Amino acid sequence: MGAQTKGRYLSTMGLLILVYCAVSVISKGATGDVQSDAQPSVQGTLPHFIQEPQDAYIVKSNPIKLRCRAAPALQIFFKCNGEWVHQNEHFSQEYKDLSTGLKVRDVMINVSRQQVEDFHGPEDYWCLCVAWSHLGTSKSRKATVRIAYLRKNFEQDPQGKEVPINGMIVLHCRPPEGVPVAEVEWLKNEELLSSLTDDNIDTRADHNLIINEARLSDSGNYTCLASNTVAKRRSATATVIVYVNGGWSLWTEWSPCNVPCGRGVQKRSRTCTNPAPLNGGAFCEGMSVQKITCNALCPIDGGWDEWSEWTLCNSQCERQRSRECNSPAPRHRGKMCEGNSQTTENCTDGLCTQNRKLLHDVKPQSMDSSNDVALYSGLGAGIIAVAILVVAVMLYRKNHSEYGVDVIDSSALTGGFQSFNFKTTRQGNPLLLNSSMHPDLTVGRTYSTPLCFQDSTDKELFDPLPDIKVKVQSSFMVSLGVAERAEFHAKAPAETFPRDLSQDYCSTVDRRKKGLLALNGPFNTGKEELRTTGVFGHPGGRLVVPNTGVSLLVPHGAVAENMSWEMYMVINQGEASVQTLEGCEILLGPEVTYGPPGLDLFCPVAMTIAHCAEVDAENWNIQLKKKTQDSKWEEVMSVEEECTSCYCLMDLTSCHLLLDQPGSYALVGEPLTQAAIKRLKLAVFGSMEASSMNYSLRVYCVDDTPHAFQGVVAAEKTRGGQLLEEPKTLPFRANTFSLQVSIQDVPQFLWSIKPFTTCQEFSFPQVWCSNQQPLHCAFSLERYSPATSQLSCKISVRQVKGHEQILQVYTAVAKTEKESVPFFMQTDCTITSQTGPGAFKIPLSICQRICATFDTANAKGKDWQLLAQKLHLDRNLGYFAKQRSPSAVILSLWEARHQDTADLDSLASALEEIGKIHSKSSPKDQDEPEPDFNHIQAGSLCGTGQRTSPKTEDSAPEYTG
């Protein structure tokens, strides 16, 4: 509308108003009487507004409506931004209020978005109403019209927090700019929060969320929700973690003294469960186990006093004397005195008479004569029976000599031993003489633990046994022995019982340690120590004693930069290492020393030692011990207890230790029940003796560790022996029963053996306390003819009331076989140390990324405890919590545990699982970057699974020998 048009419009409006007022005055004068009667309230009344225009907001492009309603009103017009709105834009209606009789006028106009946007004034777009009556005009309030909007970005998003329980939580939120001003609400896990239903929550303070006292239930994902008439906006999600620091429970009662007599140890323990650490809370500080010394009162057996004086002779010609068990009296569960406390004797040397008869003359002469006759008759009958038996045996052997077979019932040869049944041989076994299948005598790998750094998948621990085919015309076999019973020069204690049943068990163990077994026949276990060395710097590396199952991992960064240490590892040989163990403890693996003394490292090393125990906390008390300067053993930790000074992880065949201090360490075990089991490795070897007609079979029983078996290998190498059957494992129980070795099914028409020597026996203490020293017994067989070139038999090794294992021998015994390559020639590797990245399976860059991700706890709970849980290392977490980089120590332990595998599947799977878990819990619009676990797994770990050892300056292997 132009300026001239607006002027004409305003002039017209003014004239209309003047005319309207004049007409109203005339009408008033002409009809004054009538109006006075009809509308008495109109006189002296100005228009008043029943409804005034309200502030409004234009949403998108929708126009808004402004409405006015006044009474009494002859006319109503809108004025916007100081200008009258055109009459054509008004929508008006008029009606009469029945209660007051006044005329009410209702007027409405529309305001469009374009009108508001085109207005450029010092204030917002506004409109008001002007109403006319007979007495004048009235104006309404100003109503502003604004365009509604709400921006997308919050001025301040809430931030995630980690707060202790009962602490205060304050989450700040500043909503986006908007018209009208946005209202704020809070969501927890997508559910609306209200301070009306929870007094602990306050949402009224300047859009902030305040939780006065944090509870575990307050952990969750919080979102700030801003909304007005035009839109709603969501902030980034803030994760709140309410954690609980661990607290110690009360100490348990002191345990009973662990020895029945003398100086012992009492223990008490507590657990970090009051409360248990939750949501990344700190682990309890301090020790979980306390120990004190105790002195158990030793049993005192009773002793007799001196006999009292004889009493006077009584009427029965007898006198008495007595004694009491008071020198000393039995105390502390001691035994009562043995024998009678009272004795009686004749006091007249048999001359006392009663009724004129001698009292001692009680046996008639006829009785003495009858006793002599019975004695001589019995002796005569016994001599006749023995003579008849001898003649019958000689006739029987003579009648059967034409068959060339000397038949002896095998049941008669096992006299003195409990009877047992051999396991049924599987069908088609090549070790049976009448087998219908060709023999497969190839010996498989005996130990799965790698003995060298390089891949040895194509090499076996033993060379294949000779492929021999024997044609046998008779399947008739008997069980005969061939060697004299093994002579054990050590004292063989009687059968004893474990510690929980009798203290005799420990006493026999002590006697066993004082007089170790002298083996049957020449046997050289070797006293020289097994030693390996290497120089390690900041990149770290690995040290291995070949063929022993013993290794040492030096992590990257353990040695300071620009420094190096010449480190060594020694396996102590001989008996000295086991003579100082106490009570019922036995060695479960070799004693290992690493050094040098004074070694200063930034993080613990990982040592791996093979063991021979079937690990079960209910049956074993397994401890790690360290040798002191005075050559005594002190306990470092118990495997089943929490400890912050070192870490012990028991696998099926190996023990992995995290150690801070160099020294001599040994894994010892104490059986708690008769169900405790240690594994024995059984092997049978054969060689021709000096006489070409004799063949020797040697059966070895040794703790099932690679190091212990190397003693057997070394001994047989000097004797030119050959392995006749793949070594087998026998579970040996702590039930105090002996181990029996017997030979069975020797073809007597080809071989001769001495009767009654088929079964030899090791006492329980000899086997249980062998402490990595081999035991063996020998059987000597003599062939009837030099043409006999094959031997087949069966060796049974069984524990009385325990397990049994069968070694089946099927071999050639020709003299030329002695020239063949010995079975025990192993891989010729001499690599004992490796340094730099080539010694580790996890690349350094990947290891650093994992540590950076997990070492710092964050709002999503992705910390080293989750990594330990996924790698199944989630016990004794207090040890990891004390380390500078818990994740690095966990990865070092993983490296040591998986050194015998060439892939990284377990680690990659764990990282992939962690990545999946947190990709589900993290919102898509979250700005915080997530660690790319899948990239680590797929792009790096799997790529390193196929690599070979890089030949760089940091990874050059060292050679010895």
Side-chain angles (χ1 to χ4, degrees):
M1 184 181 296
Q4 294 179 354
T5 304
K6 286 184 179 181
R8 289 196 300 269
Y9 173 72
L10 293 176
S11 299
T12 304
M13 288 293 295
L15 291 174
L16 288 173
I17 292 171
L18 292 175
V19 171
Y20 183 79
C21 292
V23 172
S24 299
V25 171
I26 295 173
S27 299
K28 180 180 179 183
T31 63
D33 296 336
V34 177
Q35 289 182 355
S36 298
D37 296 336
Q39 297 178 351
S41 61
V42 174
Q43 301 295 331
T45 301
L46 288 174
H48 69 275
F49 289 93
I50 301 174
Q51 179 180 353
E52 296 184 88
Q54 302 296 320
D55 296 339
Y57 299 94
I58 295 178
V59 178
K60 298 182 179 180
S61 298
N62 300 321
I64 56 98
K65 295 178 173 57
L66 297 179
R67 174 171 291 176
C68 280
R69 184 181 301 164
L74 300 177
Q75 191 59 270
I76 299 176
F77 289 99
F78 272 92
K79 179 182 282 187
C80 294
N81 301 319
E83 297 181 358
W84 293 101
V85 178
H86 197 279
Q87 185 178 4
N88 295 336
E89 296 179 8
H90 290 72
F91 303 92
S92 63
Q93 60 181 352
E94 186 180 43
Y95 61 91
K96 184 177 182 180
D97 189 346
L98 297 178
S99 60
T100 62
L102 299 179
K103 287 185 178 181
V104 178
R105 182 172 291 276
D106 189 351
V107 179
M108 182 186 68
I109 64 171
N110 291 328
V111 179
S112 66
R113 182 186 183 97
Q114 187 66 38
Q115 290 176 275
V116 177
E117 289 179 346
D118 291 343
F119 175 70
H120 301 286
E123 53 185 351
D124 293 330
Y125 189 98
W126 60 269
C127 294
L128 58 79
C129 296
V130 179
W132 283 268
S133 70
H134 297 88
L135 297 181
T137 61
S138 296
K139 292 183 180 180
S140 71
R141 64 178 295 276
K142 284 185 178 180
T144 60
V145 180
R146 305 175 66 186
I147 298 176
Y149 68 92
L150 184 62
R151 303 201 181 277
K152 292 184 177 181
N153 297 325
F154 278 72
E155 296 184 4
Q156 181 179 3
D157 284 313
Q159 301 297 318
K161 293 180 179 293
E162 293 184 4
V163 295
I165 194 168
N166 297 327
M168 177 178 285
I169 303 175
V170 179
L171 298 180
H172 299 280
C173 175
R174 292 175 60 189
E177 178 186 354
V179 173
V181 176
E183 296 181 355
V184 172
E185 295 176 308
W186 284 91
L187 300 178
K188 175 190 173 185
N189 298 331
E190 303 303 323
E191 294 184 2
L192 187 64
L193 284 177
S194 174
S195 58
L196 300 177
T197 58
D198 191 345
D199 296 336
N200 196 37
I201 296 177
D202 184 5
T203 59
R204 298 167 296 176
D206 195 22
H207 307 310
N208 297 329
L209 173 63
I210 300 176
I211 301 177
N212 297 316
E213 293 186 1
R215 302 156 296 192
L216 287 177
S217 59
D218 292 326
S219 297
N221 296 320
Y222 289 82
T223 306
C224 182
L225 182 65
S227 62
N228 61 7
T229 58
V230 68
K232 290 184 178 181
R233 300 285 185 259
R234 293 170 58 98
S235 70
T237 298
T239 300
V240 173
I241 298 177
V242 180
Y243 62 85
V244 179
N245 293 325
W248 288 115
S249 65
L250 297 178
W251 288 102
T252 61
E253 296 295 331
W254 288 104
S255 65
C257 203
N258 67 338
V259 295
C261 171
R263 185 181 181 87
V265 175
Q266 287 181 284
K267 299 180 181 179
R268 69 172 183 175
S269 61
R270 58 180 179 175
T271 57
C272 190
T273 57
N274 187 30
L278 293 175
N279 299 335
F283 199 80
C284 302
E285 295 185 359
M287 300 300 295
S288 62
V289 178
Q290 281 187 345
K291 298 181 181 181
I292 60 173
T293 58
C294 58
N295 288 293
L297 297 177
C298 295
I300 300 177
D301 296 336
W304 289 113
D305 291 339
E306 295 292 333
W307 286 100
S308 64
E309 296 295 331
W310 289 103
T311 62
L312 296 177
C313 195
N314 59 18
S315 60
Q316 301 297 324
C317 301
E318 292 178 343
R319 61 177 181 176
Q320 297 177 345
R321 65 175 180 176
S322 62
R323 57 181 177 176
E324 294 184 357
C325 188
N326 288 326
S327 296
R331 289 179 294 173
H332 314 314
R333 305 177 307 280
K335 298 179 181 179
M336 291 293 296
C337 301
E338 296 181 357
N340 297 324
S341 62
Q342 191 174 23
T343 183
T344 303
E345 71 174 10
N346 190 284
C347 54
T348 61
D349 294 331
L351 298 179
C352 184
T353 61
Q354 183 178 1
N355 297 329
R356 296 184 179 182
K357 292 183 179 180
L358 292 175
L359 291 178
H360 70 281
D361 191 7
V362 293
K363 292 184 180 180
Q365 187 68 26
S366 61
M367 185 177 293
D368 293 339
S369 300
S370 62
N371 288 340
D372 293 341
V373 173
L375 175 63
Y376 293 137
S377 299
L379 290 176
I383 293 174
I384 293 172
V386 171
I388 294 174
L389 180 62
V390 171
V391 172
V393 171
M394 293 179 64
L395 292 176
Y396 183 80
R397 293 170 60 89
K398 183 177 180 180
N399 292 335
H400 289 77
S401 62
E402 58 182 302
Y403 298 104
V405 179
D406 186 10
V407 180
I408 297 179
D409 185 6
S410 61
S411 64
L413 302 181
T414 58
F417 302 107
Q418 300 186 18
S419 62
F420 57 91
N421 295 323
F422 290 105
K423 298 178 181 178
T424 303
T425 308
R426 57 186 178 270
Q427 182 179 2
N429 194 308
L431 302 179
L432 291 178
L433 291 177
N434 60 349
S435 173
S436 61
M437 300 178 64
H438 295 293
D440 183 8
L441 300 180
T442 303
V443 178
R445 184 184 301 272
T446 303
Y447 293 99
S448 60
T449 303
L451 305 177
C452 309
F453 284 112
Q454 68 263 27
D455 186 10
S456 59
T457 56
D458 296 332
K459 297 183 178 180
E460 301 292 340
L461 177 62
F462 304 127
D463 290 341
L465 296 176
D467 186 8
I468 303 169
K469 299 180 180 179
V470 180
K471 182 178 181 182
V472 181
Q473 298 178 353
S474 174
S475 61
F476 183 73
M477 291 175 281
V478 293
S479 299
L480 295 178
V482 297
E484 296 290 342
R485 184 176 300 275
E487 298 179 0
F488 302 115
H489 302 290
K491 297 180 180 179
E495 292 185 352
T496 55
F497 296 89
R499 177 177 60 85
D500 58 343
L501 298 180
S502 171
Q503 61 182 0
D504 293 339
Y505 174 86
C506 298
S507 62
T508 56
V509 171
D510 292 337
R511 292 197 298 270
R512 169 70 184 92
K513 292 172 181 175
K514 293 179 180 178
L516 292 174
L517 176 67
L519 298 176
N520 181 19
F523 190 89
N524 179 21
T525 58
K527 299 298 182 181
E528 68 279 0
E529 62 183 17
L530 297 177
R531 182 185 181 95
T532 181
T533 61
V535 178
F536 298 94
H538 188 70
R542 197 187 302 267
L543 199 61
V544 173
V545 182
N547 308 323
T548 62
V550 177
S551 64
L552 185 73
L553 180 74
V554 183
H556 175 87
V559 180
E561 295 188 19
N562 302 323
M563 285 191 63
S564 63
W565 286 91
E566 182 178 2
M567 300 177 62
Y568 63 83
M569 192 162 50
V570 177
I571 297 181
N572 299 329
Q573 301 280 78
E575 302 170 359
S577 62
V578 301
Q579 291 179 347
T580 56
L581 294 179
E582 300 177 355
C584 310
E585 296 172 343
I586 62 171
L587 272 179
L588 299 179
E591 175 194 336
V592 181
T593 302
Y594 88 92
L599 183 65
D600 185 17
L601 301 178
F602 289 113
C603 59
V605 298
M607 178 186 290
T608 298
I609 303 176
H611 67 80
C612 62
E614 289 196 4
V615 181
D616 187 348
E618 295 182 357
N619 300 323
W620 279 104
N621 177 25
I622 300 178
Q623 298 176 344
L624 177 67
K625 292 200 172 187
K626 182 179 181 182
K627 185 178 289 187
T628 60
Q629 294 181 352
D630 54 355
S631 298
K632 294 183 179 180
W633 291 101
E634 65 176 4
E635 179 183 350
V636 178
M637 69 170 294
S638 177
V639 171
E640 296 300 325
E641 296 177 355
E642 301 286 333
C643 180
T644 57
S645 60
C646 63
Y647 190 97
C648 180
L649 175 65
M650 295 292 293
D651 281 340
L652 293 178
T653 59
S654 297
C655 170
H656 309 286
L657 307 173
L658 294 175
L659 303 173
D660 295 317
Q661 299 296 328
S664 297
Y665 294 89
L667 193 69
V668 301
E670 180 182 13
L672 301 179
T673 67
Q674 291 189 2
I677 291 178
K678 83 166 184 176
R679 300 186 309 276
L680 297 179
K681 181 68 69 175
L682 309 177
V684 57
F685 300 82
S687 63
M688 295 295 296
E689 295 183 355
S691 173
S692 61
M693 301 296 290
N694 293 342
Y695 192 81
S696 176
L697 291 178
R698 294 176 295 278
V699 181
Y700 290 86
C701 304
V702 63
D703 292 351
D704 186 19
T705 62
H707 166 256
F709 195 71
Q710 287 307 304
V712 177
V713 172
E716 284 298 320
K717 184 176 182 180
T718 61
R719 307 176 89 165
Q722 285 189 318
L723 183 69
L724 304 182
E725 164 69 323
E726 181 178 356
K728 296 184 178 180
T729 302
L730 176 71
F732 189 78
R733 294 185 179 274
N735 60 6
T736 72
F737 289 99
S738 59
L739 186 72
Q740 296 177 352
V741 183
S742 60
I743 186 171
Q744 302 290 331
D745 299 342
V746 179
Q748 194 172 1
F749 56 88
L750 298 176
W751 296 88
S752 67
I753 55 177
K754 294 181 181 180
F756 310 108
T757 59
T758 58
C759 188
Q760 304 185 36
E761 184 175 15
F762 296 105
S763 67
F764 173 79
Q766 289 171 338
V767 181
W768 189 257
C769 304
S770 59
N771 287 322
Q772 304 290 300
Q773 301 298 318
L775 304 176
H776 91 290
C777 61
F779 299 95
S780 180
L781 294 85
E782 182 179 359
R783 51 185 173 175
Y784 288 113
S785 170
T788 302
S789 60
Q790 292 86 24
L791 171 63
S792 63
C793 62
K794 181 168 60 177
I795 304 293
S796 170
V797 183
R798 68 181 292 271
Q799 184 184 17
V800 178
K801 295 186 179 180
H803 294 83
E804 178 189 16
Q805 191 63 268
I806 300 297
L807 299 172
Q808 296 182 331
V809 177
Y810 191 77
T811 185
V813 294
K815 189 173 182 180
T816 55
E817 290 296 327
K818 294 182 62 177
E819 306 301 328
S820 62
V821 178
F823 76 95
F824 45 76
M825 293 299 291
Q826 303 187 27
T827 52
D828 56 355
C829 70
T830 55
I831 301 177
T832 59
S833 67
Q834 195 173 27
T835 60
F840 303 97
K841 289 181 169 52
I842 306 176
L844 178 60
S845 60
I846 300 300
C847 182
Q848 291 173 343
R849 289 180 60 186
I850 295 175
C851 294
T853 301
F854 291 102
D855 275 345
T856 303
N858 55 49
K860 302 177 184 60
K862 297 190 297 292
D863 58 9
W864 59 267
Q865 297 186 46
L866 179 61
L867 178 64
Q869 176 185 354
K870 296 303 179 182
L871 296 181
H872 308 292
L873 303 174
D874 51 348
R875 57 173 302 275
N876 198 8
L877 296 179
Y879 177 81
F880 297 121
K882 297 294 184 181
Q883 305 300 321
R884 296 181 180 178
S885 175
S887 300
V889 178
I890 291 172
L891 294 179
S892 297
L893 185 59
W894 184 94
E895 284 270 6
R897 191 179 191 183
H898 295 83
Q899 60 181 306
D900 56 339
T901 58
D903 59 73
L904 299 168
D905 288 344
S906 62
L907 179 60
S909 299
L911 294 177
E912 183 178 7
E913 184 177 353
I914 295 173
K916 290 180 179 179
I917 292 174
H918 291 93
S919 63
K920 294 179 181 179
S921 62
S922 300
K924 295 182 179 179
D925 57 349
Q926 188 167 343
D927 295 334
E928 180 182 352
E930 292 287 337
D932 191 358
F933 295 115
N934 292 326
H935 172 71
I936 295 177
Q937 181 265 337
S940 302
L941 293 183
C942 292
T944 59
Q946 304 295 331
R947 65 175 172 82
T948 58
S949 300
K951 296 182 180 179
T952 62
E953 295 181 359
D954 294 336
S955 61
E958 300 181 4
Y959 297 87
T960 62

